[in-house]
Amino acid sequence: MTVTDAQLSAMSEAGPGDAVGRRVSCDGERGTVHYVGKVPPTAGIWLGVEWDNPERGKHDGTHEGVQYFKCSHPTGGSFIRPRKASFGVEFLTALRQRYEMEMEQDSAEELKIANKPVELVGFETVCQKLSQLNSLEAVSLQGSEVAGAGPDNEIQQNTPNILSLDLSESLLASWDDVASITRQLIKLRELQLSYNRLRMPANPACLSHCFASLKVLVLNNTGITWSESSSKSMNENNSSCTTLIIHFHTHTFVVNILFLSSLVEQETTKGSCSCDLFAIYCMCPSFWSFVNELEKLPNLQQLSCFNNPLMTAGKSPETVRQLIIAKIGGLQLLNKSKIQPVERRGAELDYRKMFGRMWLESGGDRDPERDHPSQAFVAEHPRFQTLIQKYGAPEEGELKQQQPFALKNQLLTITFVCPDVTEKKPIEKKLPDSMNIQKVKGLLFRLLKVPGAELRLSYTSSKMEGKEIEIDNDLKPLQFYSIEDGDRVLVRWS
């Protein structure tokens, strides 16, 4: 239902029952109305509000032993009188207030030279252009308390050319409210909805046409939990999101990727939607489940994870990067760094080795007819079967357990052999197993006088007779390839 200025004003006067669920502001703080009614022993109507900032509240919705509403934070709620609450304004009302104020400020400024006013040629024309709402292409209504679209089609008739719109810190209460605005802006390319609390629709796909033209959607600090997002249905094969930016901060939650995907699914099917960027703040309690969901966005090519707590949560940044690459098959750019084919191959082979034993124990088998891993394994590693098809099932020799941390950096005695150059004698060296392949090639350059870029390495092990394993990722350490004491590294070059 479209909310008009008159209805919003009426809510502030009396606080009717339909105010429940709506967004309000009071003394610079925003919140959501969860209760309208009496709170004995006081007389009159009260609004029970859960505030975005829990420090603004006093309790969890309970007063003198009676719980009138529930809050997600024990001090997130309080009661206020309706007259103290602002329920916001219609879109065009906020737009006129914002831009007319700017025009008045601009027209009040005069350029003076030697204390004499100077007429600015063309200035009046600019003001006239600004006053015509239909010429606006970039509109910022951040903090303007927009609460609804207003009368049907009024936005489309007055502001048909908006390309970029900032509705951050508004009083929009749901995605339906947002859709009532965006469906009228057929040229809209960029939409910012940061610091809003938006209720999820029962059927997100029904709103997809309202976001068909978007290329950039920014959703910072929107307070949606992972459980809320994962409970919504989506079409796993339809989303044209190509770039995802995730900022990690404490006290924020993951934005609903599943919901965003379903918003564009219908238009993607028609070939008319090309959402290029999702910018999101998130703190996901199950990060790898979240990454698994991103694989369902078939056109996702770029991902940036900033201030990621996982980088210091038991895994090195390099390990996290490799796991993300292996889990998202179409990714081309991670944290602004291009994923080279050799890095992808190394990451996927590493993933296949790392979880190969778990795959076998869950019911996986090298015989395709007997390969039936458990649902739990498939849910946790949805791309594993794809990697099996791509590279084959891991051999037993590849499934060596990772060395304990205390044994890392042990010295390996490795024999370097040049099989294509018979006059070159084998070279034996003791190297730490943490030494990466790039540094190994640097050592070989000094020994053989062959540029590292021309070197091709592989190795053989007495435990895998007749098998030669390619060493194809310069960023990986020797221990990544399970090279052991006494193994032979074969060195070839063009």
Side-chain angles (χ1 to χ4, degrees):
M1 181 184 71
T2 301
V3 180
T4 65
D5 280 344
Q7 291 171 313
L8 293 169
S9 177
M11 290 180 189
S12 294
E13 291 296 325
D18 59 5
V20 173
R22 299 223 62 86
R23 300 276 290 162
V24 295
S25 69
C26 178
D27 298 329
E29 298 284 354
R30 294 182 306 280
T32 304
V33 178
H34 290 320
Y35 172 79
V36 178
K38 294 182 178 181
V39 182
T42 61
I45 299 297
W46 292 88
L47 302 180
V49 179
E50 180 178 11
W51 302 100
D52 297 355
N53 175 14
E55 295 181 2
R56 167 63 174 82
K58 299 178 180 179
H59 48 69
D60 64 353
T62 301
H63 179 67
E64 295 188 355
V66 178
Q67 186 163 33
Y68 292 89
F69 61 97
K70 294 182 179 181
C71 291
S72 57
H73 192 280
T75 62
S78 69
F79 293 100
I80 62 173
R81 292 295 189 182
R83 64 178 178 275
K84 294 190 64 178
S86 169
F87 284 83
V89 295
E90 298 171 4
F91 178 87
L92 283 181
T93 299
L95 183 64
R96 291 189 179 102
Q97 290 175 349
R98 172 64 60 89
Y99 284 90
E100 286 176 4
M101 183 184 301
E102 290 183 1
M103 286 190 295
E104 289 173 0
Q105 291 174 348
D106 290 338
S107 61
E109 295 177 356
E110 289 184 330
L111 178 62
K112 294 186 177 182
I113 299 178
N115 293 323
K116 294 182 179 180
V118 176
E119 182 180 357
L120 299 180
V121 178
F123 181 77
E124 184 175 345
T125 303
V126 173
C127 287
Q128 289 176 349
K129 183 176 181 180
L130 283 174
S131 67
Q132 298 175 2
L133 298 182
N134 60 18
S135 67
L136 293 174
E137 295 183 351
V139 172
S140 175
L141 294 178
Q142 180 180 1
S144 295
E145 299 190 353
V146 175
D152 289 344
N153 299 322
E154 187 179 53
I155 295 174
Q156 184 175 5
Q157 293 169 4
N158 288 273
T159 59
N161 294 307
I162 294 179
L163 302 175
S164 174
L165 176 60
D166 187 350
L167 290 174
S168 301
E169 302 177 77
S170 74
L171 294 182
L172 295 166
S174 68
W175 279 97
D176 295 276
D177 290 339
V178 176
S180 67
I181 294 173
T182 58
R183 69 173 180 80
Q184 302 182 55
L185 301 174
I186 59 176
K187 297 182 179 180
L188 189 64
R189 296 293 181 269
E190 178 178 343
L191 177 62
Q192 298 198 42
L193 293 171
S194 302
Y195 296 92
N196 287 300
R197 299 292 184 267
L198 302 170
R199 288 195 310 276
M200 309 305 297
N203 181 14
C206 69
L207 300 181
S208 62
H209 65 285
C210 301
F211 301 87
S213 61
L214 280 185
K215 289 185 175 293
V216 178
L217 179 57
V218 183
L219 293 163
N220 298 336
N221 199 339
T222 54
I224 301 173
T225 64
W226 177 253
S227 60
E228 287 176 322
S229 68
S230 60
S231 67
K232 301 298 177 182
S233 61
M234 69 171 286
N235 184 325
E236 295 183 0
N237 299 317
N238 292 319
S239 175
S240 57
C241 170
T242 64
T243 305
L244 180 65
I245 298 178
I246 308 174
H247 297 266
F248 290 82
H249 284 264
T250 307
H251 305 310
T252 57
F253 301 88
V254 67
V255 173
N256 193 341
I257 298 298
L258 308 186
F259 168 62
L260 297 177
S261 300
S262 63
L263 284 182
V264 298
E265 65 180 27
Q266 292 181 349
E267 299 304 320
T268 303
T269 305
K270 300 173 186 176
S272 61
C273 182
S274 58
C275 185
D276 294 331
L277 172 65
F278 288 159
I280 298 172
Y281 275 89
C282 83
M283 178 61 184
C284 181
S286 180
F287 177 82
W288 294 114
S289 296
F290 173 70
V291 173
N292 289 340
E293 294 298 333
L294 298 184
E295 169 65 11
K296 296 177 181 180
L297 303 176
N299 295 319
L300 180 63
Q301 298 174 3
Q302 302 180 41
L303 174 66
S304 294
C305 298
F306 300 113
N307 302 325
N308 192 330
L310 287 173
M311 299 302 183
T312 56
K315 293 183 175 67
S316 69
E318 293 79 11
T319 299
V320 171
R321 177 179 174 87
Q322 295 301 311
L323 289 172
I324 292 174
I325 291 172
K327 281 180 172 288
I328 307 177
L331 211 57
Q332 298 179 11
L333 203 69
L334 178 57
N335 287 341
K336 300 182 179 180
S337 175
K338 186 175 181 180
I339 301 171
Q340 300 292 346
V342 65
E343 183 181 18
R344 172 161 292 285
R345 176 180 169 82
E348 293 177 343
L349 286 172
D350 185 22
Y351 192 91
R352 174 176 155 274
K353 289 166 53 179
M354 185 181 301
F355 299 102
R357 180 70 63 188
M358 188 186 300
W359 168 69
L360 290 172
E361 293 173 352
S362 74
D365 198 286
R366 296 183 180 90
D367 182 349
E369 294 185 359
R370 294 185 296 177
D371 181 22
H372 303 294
S374 66
Q375 292 183 354
F377 179 86
V378 172
E380 189 174 350
H381 307 280
R383 253 201 110 223
F384 196 87
Q385 294 301 107
T386 300
L387 299 182
I388 294 295
Q389 296 173 7
K390 185 175 182 179
Y391 299 106
E395 299 294 333
E396 186 63 33
E398 297 180 84
L399 302 181
K400 299 175 184 177
Q401 296 294 324
Q402 293 286 334
Q403 294 293 327
F405 182 78
L407 299 179
K408 288 185 178 179
N409 299 324
Q410 64 180 347
L411 291 177
L412 303 175
T413 300
I414 299 175
T415 301
F416 293 96
V417 179
C418 304
D420 298 338
V421 185
T422 55
E423 63 269 21
K424 292 284 186 182
K425 295 182 179 180
I427 302 172
E428 188 175 284
K429 288 290 181 180
K430 288 186 178 293
L431 303 175
D433 63 358
S434 61
M435 189 175 189
N436 66 35
I437 304 305
Q438 188 173 17
K439 291 182 178 179
V440 172
K441 287 185 175 181
L443 172 65
L444 291 172
F445 169 68
R446 293 192 294 273
L447 296 174
L448 304 174
K449 307 305 178 186
V450 178
E454 297 181 13
L455 295 174
R456 303 191 311 278
L457 306 182
S458 58
Y459 82 95
T460 59
S461 173
S462 59
K463 295 183 178 181
M464 293 184 286
E465 292 290 346
K467 188 174 182 63
E468 184 175 331
I469 300 172
E470 185 180 3
I471 302 174
D472 56 3
N473 191 334
D474 288 358
L475 301 178
K476 291 292 186 181
L478 291 168
Q479 62 187 356
F480 166 77
Y481 291 98
S482 302
I483 296 176
E484 296 183 342
D485 198 53
D487 287 349
R488 292 160 57 94
V489 172
L490 308 182
V491 185
R492 298 181 175 89
W493 60 88
S494 304

